[in-house]
Amino acid sequence: MITETSNEMRAIDALLGCYAQVLDEQDWDRWPDLFADECSYTVHTLDNIRRGLPLAYMYDDNRARILDRVKFITEVWAGTIEPYRTRHVTQRTHAAQVAENRWEVRANFHVSFTENDSLSGLLATGYYEDVVEISVDGAQFVSRAVRLDSMPARYLVYPL
């Protein structure tokens, strides 16, 4: 059972929607703003989690590493990767308050990709396990753990 106020769910849903929009528009300067000062962003396959393997596609355990990821995308890897566009479809499936102004949120996702204006394909499916903090300024991720159903269809450059 989800017990919440409509204002809290609007803030959480606005964050989830903004996250998808920022990634799909590749607005890398805005991506770190979706995270709190003390934060983490990780991407693991469910298989690795079930087997107790610490291997991760992405492991940004603090804000500095999230900022580094943006720098790699925009400066280090620029011109050396095959760029692609993404489209995120996200559906919140769970929300529970765990502390004042702090929520655990789970949402399923499908991410498709398109390279060079060719046909689109399915990049990844899975779910997000988030800890979200809500303030008068809106909601931010304290942690975002991406759980992939399987290995992605191609290499990952951009956050999911």
Side-chain angles (χ1 to χ4, degrees), residues 50-155:
R50 287 185 191 116
R51 293 171 44 191
L53 299 174
L55 302 172
Y57 279 95
M58 297 181 190
Y59 194 87
D60 301 332
D61 59 352
N62 58 54
R63 186 166 190 78
R65 290 199 178 157
I66 286 173
L67 294 170
D68 283 347
R69 181 156 311 281
V70 170
K71 186 171 187 151
F72 268 84
I73 292 168
T74 60
E75 296 177 27
V76 176
W77 294 332
T80 65
I81 59 162
E82 291 183 43
Y84 57 95
R85 291 189 316 272
T86 60
R87 290 289 173 254
H88 288 68
V89 177
T90 306
Q91 175 64 51
R92 176 176 46 87
T93 59
H94 172 79
Q97 190 170 10
V98 294
E100 186 176 348
N101 300 326
R102 195 165 280 209
W103 290 75
E104 286 182 350
V105 178
R106 183 168 169 165
N108 293 334
F109 70 83
H110 282 161
V111 180
S112 63
F113 74 100
T114 305
E115 288 180 309
N116 302 321
D117 296 322
S118 64
L119 292 175
S120 297
L122 185 61
L123 177 63
T125 63
Y127 60 91
Y128 300 114
E129 287 183 337
D130 301 323
V131 175
V132 173
E133 192 166 78
I134 301 174
S135 70
V136 294
D137 297 325
Q140 288 184 306
F141 296 109
V142 174
S143 68
R144 172 149 263 205
V146 181
R147 306 303 190 208
L148 297 170
D149 289 330
S150 63
M151 292 177 54
R154 65 180 315 283
Y155 62 90

